[in-house]
Amino acid sequence: MKRSFFIIIIASLMSILAKQSQCQFFNLNSPDGSIEVSVIIENDIHYAVKLNGKPLLDYSRISMTVDDKVLGSLPVIKDTIRKICNEVLFPVVKVKSAEILNQYHSLEFVFKDNYSIEFRAFNEGVAYRFGTNYNKNIKVSNEEADFSFPDNFMSWFPEEVSFHSHNERYYKKYRLSEIKDSMFCSLPMLVEAEDGVKVVITETDLDDYPGMWLKAGDGFFELTGIFPAYPLQTKQENDRSVRVTDRADYLALTTGRRSFPWRILAIAETDAELITNQLSYVLATPSQIKDVEWIKPGKVAWDWWNYNNIYGVDFEAGVNTQTYKYYIDFAAEYGIEYIIMDEGWYELGDLSKIVPEIDMEEITQYAKEKGVGVILWVVWKTLDDQLEESLAQFDKWGIKGIKVDFMQRDDQWMVNYYHKIAKIAAEHHLLVDFHGSYKPSGLRRTYPNVITREGLRGLEQTKWADTQTPTHNVTLPFIRMLAGPMDYTPGAMINAQKNEFKISWTRPMSMGTRCHQIAMYVVYESPLQMLADNPSNYMKEDECTRFIAKIPTVWDETKVIEAKIGELIAVARRNGENWYVGGMTNLDARNIQIDFSFLPEGKYEIQIFQDGINAHRYAGDYKTVTGHVSKEDVLNVEMAPGGGWVAILTPVN
């Protein structure tokens, strides 16, 4: 009743103000008409969003303060420009699909004081951004990005404690009214309406500007953007941790002729629609790389998680030449495209000092002979300090990629660092995997050699925590994965149910079943997909490893079979003529139906890995099944607690 009273008062006041001033209303609809954006331009600028005629976002204010002038205060419209776009994009790296429909209606406002705001309405959501047109450099001291919801919706809130962060968070469920003034979160984050409609807030085309975070706003059920100010001074605590000790009173110093990042509201009537949403990609700047033939997605054998604990060999395992040649032999045997040499190959703080146990020339030459690429882990600050000489050396060795780690910031300086590394790495034909990073924000389209990134709580957490649950694993695809590829690093061959899980630094395990881990190779999107366990375990589990090796890392088509955030996910993906189906559940045992109606006509041979009958008590238990299916078939699938199900379908000629 109290809220209804306030709504009546606000509506009455707006009506009075509209009569007393030159209040201008504009509407913009999505191509299918389901989404309506309403913009009010009066003393300031507000916008609202409806889905199927029902309010989803109340009038929310936006502005930007440039050179002490508030863009959006007392705005005077010079022109409005409407456009319709209906095109097909062909991504260099096919994360979800080989073709992406870019279909929207746009409305751009050009204002008197040399700035603009463009709104775009897609069938999958809404986005807006500011633009400026000044013949000088500018100082941005503030941006107002409010998201005012019409009711006390539930949120999935990746709560943070500092702008110095890996953005590796769990999603806490809060009603909007429960988010205190002291709380804030990184992006993407999700808001769920009472009817199950979901809105994911994120950003893209982030360049020469700080990243956006969210905190409670001043209004009822409101969130508002916050931004790390420009770093004036930093303190290097060790080789990897560089903390900002003093910040400016502005967000960015930048060129006056530019477009700013897109603020995205990805909208889904069903949870499944979050899995196929491509707004983060289509709104980003197109590829700046002309020659892209060298960009090769694939799988990579990873050393760090498994502590190099190989066994059954006649040499001492560790960070040494023989161990990495063993990794190379493993990769060559199973058709794994890359190995990664993680922490330990160089003396921390100096990339020119290779540890005595490593003969890099021998390793890289051996890898070349075996047809395996080598990717090197580097700390971002050390790389930055020794950039030219390090890249020249990588060229001589024939290195195929770099894993850049521990940035832990997204202020303007650090965002520009990402762009610098992406560009120069492309010039040297190097793939880039950003770890210790903020969420994907469009760079993967602009520089498609940025093949994947972290910015999530992945499998590494199991080395020191018991909180990496299957429930978290089936939450990630609906929120974090919407922003772009995620290097979760799956593939544990030691598996445990929750009551048996133990923390181990040197012999880590996963929580959930073996098939839960294998299904990640289909469910999780990462064009560079790690095999986290050690080669000795993989060779011991040869049947599982050969199955994983068959699963591609990029996709021509994606179909969602079942999806419920935090509970379960089942997707089908096509690469060429073959289809791959993966299903995962949370800590609850589950029975689902796999409907193969997505298949073309014809018969398919199916190879299935499913939870064994005792997987509820021994998580490593699995069963393989083979047979034939067609589009008329429906399979009943049972998954153990923390379980999974995965299949490869090959057409029968």
Side-chain angles (χ1 to χ4, degrees):
M1 180 64 71
K2 183 179 179 181
R3 176 170 171 77
S4 298
F5 173 75
F6 277 114
I7 290 172
I8 292 169
I9 293 297
I10 291 168
S12 299
L13 287 173
M14 290 187 69
S15 176
I16 293 169
L17 289 171
K19 292 175 183 177
Q20 294 178 345
S21 64
Q22 297 297 315
C23 188
Q24 297 173 279
F25 293 84
F26 300 85
N27 286 325
L28 176 68
N29 293 319
S30 60
D32 65 3
S34 64
I35 295 174
E36 179 185 358
V37 182
S38 300
V39 182
I40 293 182
I41 297 179
E42 191 192 14
N43 295 324
D44 45 24
I45 300 171
H46 290 77
Y47 77 105
V49 178
K50 291 181 178 179
L51 176 64
N52 298 322
K54 186 174 182 179
L56 191 59
L57 191 75
D58 275 347
Y59 282 102
S60 304
R61 188 163 61 185
I62 58 176
S63 70
M64 179 176 285
T65 305
V66 174
D67 292 340
D68 299 322
K69 182 175 179 59
V70 179
L71 309 184
S73 177
L74 302 176
V76 178
I77 299 173
K78 288 176 59 178
D79 196 9
T80 58
I81 303 167
R82 291 185 182 268
K83 293 181 181 178
I84 295 175
C85 179
N86 189 4
E87 65 178 354
V88 177
L89 305 177
F90 300 92
V92 172
V93 180
K94 304 178 295 183
V95 177
K96 295 180 189 289
S97 58
E99 298 180 3
I100 302 173
L101 181 62
N102 185 26
Q103 187 179 45
Y104 62 83
H105 294 167
S106 72
L107 172 58
E108 182 178 8
F109 298 93
V110 181
F111 297 100
K112 181 180 178 181
D113 292 321
N114 294 318
Y115 71 98
S116 62
I117 301 175
E118 182 182 0
F119 289 87
R120 291 185 184 177
F122 299 79
N123 296 336
E124 302 83 16
V126 173
Y128 76 88
R129 70 174 173 184
F130 278 85
T132 54
N133 189 25
Y134 300 111
N135 293 318
K136 61 173 184 175
N137 290 336
I138 59 175
K139 178 176 72 174
V140 181
S141 56
N142 188 42
E143 180 183 346
E144 185 177 26
D146 292 342
F147 304 90
S148 182
F149 292 92
D151 212 334
N152 195 16
F153 294 159
M154 182 65 72
S155 74
W156 298 70
F157 197 78
E159 188 173 356
E160 298 277 358
V161 297
S162 169
F163 281 139
H164 185 85
S165 173
H166 296 281
N167 289 176
E168 299 174 3
R169 317 306 293 178
Y170 294 122
Y171 298 95
K172 300 179 179 180
K173 295 183 72 173
Y174 295 119
R175 290 285 176 183
L176 292 172
S177 63
E178 296 174 326
I179 300 173
K180 298 180 176 62
D181 291 344
S182 60
M183 297 162 58
F184 66 100
C185 74
S186 49
L187 298 182
M189 68 86 64
L190 183 147
V191 175
E192 181 178 2
E194 298 302 333
D195 57 3
V197 171
K198 293 181 173 65
V199 179
V200 172
I201 302 173
T202 189
E203 64 181 339
T204 196
D205 216 25
L206 178 62
D207 184 15
D208 198 27
Y209 197 75
M212 184 170 75
W213 308 49
L214 290 174
K215 71 177 187 67
D218 294 331
F220 291 109
F221 318 135
E222 184 178 80
L223 299 169
T224 191
I226 57 173
F227 306 84
Y230 190 85
L232 293 178
Q233 291 185 350
T234 59
K235 179 181 179 181
Q236 185 163 350
E237 298 175 325
N238 49 49
D239 73 298
R240 63 201 58 191
S241 182
V242 179
R243 289 187 178 269
V244 177
T245 57
D246 188 24
R247 294 187 184 272
D249 61 354
Y250 56 84
L251 304 182
L253 297 175
T254 185
T255 179
R257 290 183 180 272
R258 63 163 296 173
S259 295
F260 288 86
W262 288 100
R263 309 301 173 212
I264 296 175
L265 294 109
I267 299 171
E269 294 187 71
T270 67
D271 292 12
E273 292 171 0
L274 295 171
I275 306 302
T276 54
N277 191 290
Q278 300 264 33
L279 292 186
S280 179
Y281 183 90
V282 302
L283 287 161
T285 297
S287 175
Q288 301 298 294
I289 305 175
K290 293 181 179 179
D291 171 24
V292 296
E293 294 300 317
W294 58 273
I295 299 174
K296 304 293 185 186
K299 288 185 284 294
V300 51
W302 186 32
D303 54 342
W304 182 86
W305 187 76
N306 59 74
Y307 202 67
N308 288 300
N309 259 334
I310 60 176
Y311 50 88
V313 296
D314 57 3
F315 57 85
E316 185 172 348
V319 180
N320 57 50
T321 300
Q322 288 176 300
T323 297
Y324 283 113
K325 289 174 75 172
Y326 182 86
Y327 275 82
I328 292 166
D329 287 338
F330 160 71
E333 169 66 22
Y334 287 90
I336 307 302
E337 290 85 352
Y338 303 99
I339 70 156
I340 193 165
M341 298 176 65
D342 212 289
E343 182 172 358
W345 69 268
Y346 69 90
E347 293 184 14
L348 294 175
D350 191 344
L351 280 162
S352 69
K353 293 182 178 179
I354 314 305
V355 297
E357 296 82 5
I358 291 290
D359 185 329
M360 193 63 77
E361 284 78 10
E362 182 178 350
I363 290 170
T364 53
Q365 180 59 35
Y366 189 74
K368 184 178 180 180
E369 292 169 0
K370 293 283 189 173
V372 175
V374 176
I375 295 171
L376 296 179
W377 174 90
V378 293
V379 170
W380 76 270
K381 184 64 167 65
T382 310
L383 178 65
D384 196 41
D385 291 341
Q386 302 175 305
L387 188 58
E388 289 187 11
E389 57 266 41
S390 296
L391 292 176
Q393 184 61 67
F394 296 169
D395 285 342
K396 291 179 182 178
W397 288 334
I399 300 303
K400 300 301 182 183
I402 51 176
K403 177 181 175 181
V404 188
D405 207 351
F406 287 102
M407 290 75 68
Q408 303 179 91
R409 291 162 34 204
D410 66 351
D411 50 57
Q412 183 194 19
W413 190 97
M414 187 57 78
V415 168
N416 289 346
Y417 174 81
Y418 278 63
H419 282 257
K420 179 177 75 172
I421 294 302
K423 182 176 184 294
I424 197 168
E427 293 168 357
H428 288 262
H429 286 193
L430 291 171
L431 302 177
V432 181
D433 176 5
F434 283 121
H435 266 234
S437 64
Y438 59 85
K439 80 283 179 188
S441 299
L443 191 58
R444 64 189 175 102
R445 183 180 181 192
T446 310
Y447 289 98
N449 61 312
V450 178
I451 198 86
T452 193
R453 74 169 68 192
E454 197 180 26
L456 78 156
R457 281 194 187 255
L459 191 68
E460 67 177 18
Q461 300 291 324
T462 62
K463 288 169 71 76
W464 53 75
D466 62 359
T467 50
Q468 194 70 15
T469 67
T471 299
H472 174 70
N473 296 342
V474 294
T475 301
L476 286 169
F478 300 90
I479 307 176
R480 166 58 181 81
M481 199 167 78
L482 184 144
M486 51 186 203
D487 192 11
Y488 180 96
T489 65
M493 292 290 109
I494 302 175
N495 319 104
Q497 289 293 350
K498 184 178 181 179
N499 62 337
E500 295 180 326
F501 178 85
K502 293 180 176 61
I503 297 169
S504 174
W505 182 267
T506 58
R507 297 187 67 189
M509 63 185 68
S510 72
M511 190 182 299
T513 70
R514 174 73 55 80
C515 290
H516 187 86
Q517 286 289 307
I518 299 175
M520 290 178 180
Y521 289 94
V522 176
V523 174
Y524 288 176
E525 296 164 359
S526 182
L528 187 69
Q529 192 70 278
M530 302 279 176
L531 277 77
D533 219 320
N534 83 67
S536 301
N537 283 348
Y538 283 126
M539 287 187 280
K540 181 180 178 182
E541 301 288 349
D542 178 76
E543 185 177 45
C544 292
T545 307
R546 294 201 180 277
F547 186 84
I548 292 170
K550 294 178 183 178
I551 301 173
T553 63
V554 290
W555 309 102
D556 294 316
E557 192 175 356
T558 294
K559 302 285 188 181
V560 183
I561 299 170
E562 282 207 42
K564 182 63 176 175
I565 183 170
E567 296 184 13
L568 79 152
I569 182 170
V571 298
R573 303 189 191 267
R574 179 178 64 83
N575 182 290
E577 293 185 329
N578 291 350
W579 284 87
Y580 305 79
V581 182
M584 299 164 59
T585 183
N586 58 10
L587 287 167
D588 296 329
R590 201 170 300 275
N591 187 295
I592 67 171
Q593 303 287 313
I594 302 293
D595 185 339
F596 291 100
S597 59
F598 60 83
L599 290 173
E601 293 291 343
K603 185 175 288 188
Y604 284 76
E605 180 181 340
I606 187 168
Q607 182 184 8
I608 298 169
F609 272 60
Q610 64 187 44
D611 292 330
I613 195 169
N614 290 304
H616 65 290
R617 55 190 296 167
Y618 182 80
D621 188 28
Y622 71 90
K623 179 181 180 180
T624 62
V625 178
T626 58
H628 293 88
V629 295
S630 67
K631 65 182 302 177
E632 288 79 26
D633 289 314
V634 177
L635 284 186
N636 185 61
V637 169
E638 293 184 5
M639 290 186 278
W645 186 94
V646 60
I648 298 175
L649 291 81
T650 307
V652 177
N653 296 327

